[in-house]
Amino acid sequence: MPAVPRPKAGLRLVADCAGAACRWQCRAPWCRGPGARGGRGSGRPGLCPRPVPAAMKIWTSEHVFDHPWETVTTAAMQKYPNPMNPSVVGVDVLDRHIDPSGKLHSHRLLSTEWGIPSIVKSLIGTCRTKTYVQEHSVVDPVKKTMELKSSNISFTNLVSVDERLVYKPHPHDPYKTMLTQEAIISVKGVSLSSYLEGLMANTISSNANKGREALEWVINRLNAEIEEFAASARGTMRNSMAAAAFVEK
């Protein structure tokens, strides 16, 4: 059996129970099996008083962008396509509206070539890599917050990944933006679930770094487009002024 990797910084095991509703070999400290069927943390088959996923890992991260909140959120809405995340092969906007309070709500469907480690694919018994992810975001221009939640809608019987990102102005510097990011990973119905979740958490961490690089790339692209537009506008203005001066003469 492969050694279970030690959790990295930002990871913590919040449950350890090998069964969809803690019905198999339960070792969770709060698990109480009824009578002889299993006891608290006994490792014997038992029935939990509340249904919980088999096991989960929570990955968390924080990052500071050296750009104002408006710039970062504009880039986040235009993040795909980009060369850092080639796995995202399609983005469809299913719904977008502004509610009565002025918040912008967006519902998108992302088509991705999911970067599942090969050992995970072999153990969960799938060779497919294309998955679909639903993404909901809410932008509040008054409070200056953007919250984005996403979850996979493919392979949900095998694995689930729920992500949440929050963009807010830095509390001490209005020209910077704080990104708080977390992911909850759950592998279901297979042995070594904690080991597989650790591998997937490492993949998510790597993808998060690429995602932040992608935002910087989009910001640079937008700034270049603004500068190009401004230069074109200045050139047009100069030509108009020269033409007007010529007419006057």
Side-chain angles (χ1 to χ4, degrees):
M1 178 183 297
V4 177
R6 294 178 62 85
K8 293 188 176 182
L11 289 174
R12 62 189 179 92
L13 185 64
V14 297
D16 182 12
C17 185
C22 203
R23 294 174 182 271
W24 303 102
Q25 297 297 320
C26 182
R27 293 181 177 82
W30 35 257
C31 182
R32 296 177 182 274
R37 290 181 59 194
R40 175 170 179 165
S42 65
R44 298 192 300 274
L47 181 64
C48 272
R50 54 177 178 170
V52 294
M56 292 183 291
K57 280 197 182 294
I58 296 181
W59 173 87
T60 61
S61 174
E62 286 189 349
H63 181 74
V64 177
F65 291 97
D66 290 326
H67 308 283
W69 177 83
E70 293 83 358
T71 301
V72 174
T73 52
T74 299
M77 297 293 289
Q78 304 180 46
K79 184 177 178 181
Y80 305 109
N82 69 75
M84 288 76 179
N85 298 119
S87 59
V88 178
V89 295
V91 179
D92 295 291
V93 178
L94 304 181
D95 178 63
R96 181 165 288 165
H97 68 275
I98 298 176
D99 67 19
S101 65
K103 297 177 184 176
L104 174 64
H105 296 255
S106 298
H107 181 197
R108 304 195 299 181
L109 180 68
L110 277 60
S111 306
T112 71
E113 290 291 341
W114 209 3
I116 303 177
S118 57
I119 186 173
V120 176
K121 289 188 288 186
S122 63
L123 288 173
I124 66 178
T126 181
C127 60
R128 289 176 52 202
T129 57
K130 190 170 184 179
T131 63
Y132 296 94
V133 176
Q134 62 176 346
E135 176 191 276
H136 296 265
S137 64
V138 180
V139 180
D140 188 336
V142 177
K143 295 183 179 179
K144 289 191 174 183
T145 62
M146 177 179 179
E147 181 179 26
L148 187 152
K149 295 180 180 179
S150 65
S151 59
N152 61 297
I153 56 177
S154 302
F155 305 122
T156 53
N157 61 319
L158 301 174
V159 59
S160 63
V161 178
D162 298 297
E163 291 190 76
R164 178 175 179 263
L165 295 82
V166 178
Y167 299 88
K168 292 183 178 180
H170 193 281
H172 306 300
D173 190 340
Y175 296 100
K176 294 183 179 181
T177 302
M178 286 281 299
L179 166 61
T180 303
Q181 187 172 0
E182 73 174 20
I184 301 176
I185 309 138
S186 176
V187 176
K188 311 168 188 177
V190 296
S191 59
L192 303 176
S193 59
S194 294
Y195 174 75
L196 299 180
E197 287 157 5
L199 290 178
M200 294 190 67
N202 291 338
T203 300
I204 288 175
S205 179
S206 175
N207 289 340
N209 290 332
K210 294 177 182 177
R212 293 191 285 266
E213 293 174 3
L215 278 185
E216 294 286 355
W217 181 85
V218 174
I219 290 171
N220 290 335
R221 189 199 70 195
L222 293 176
N223 288 339
E225 290 176 355
I226 292 172
E227 180 57 34
E228 182 180 353
F229 176 79
S232 176
R234 288 194 296 267
T236 301
M237 185 177 295
R238 284 194 297 266
N239 292 338
S240 298
M241 292 176 64
F246 178 79
V247 169
E248 289 180 1
K249 291 180 180 180

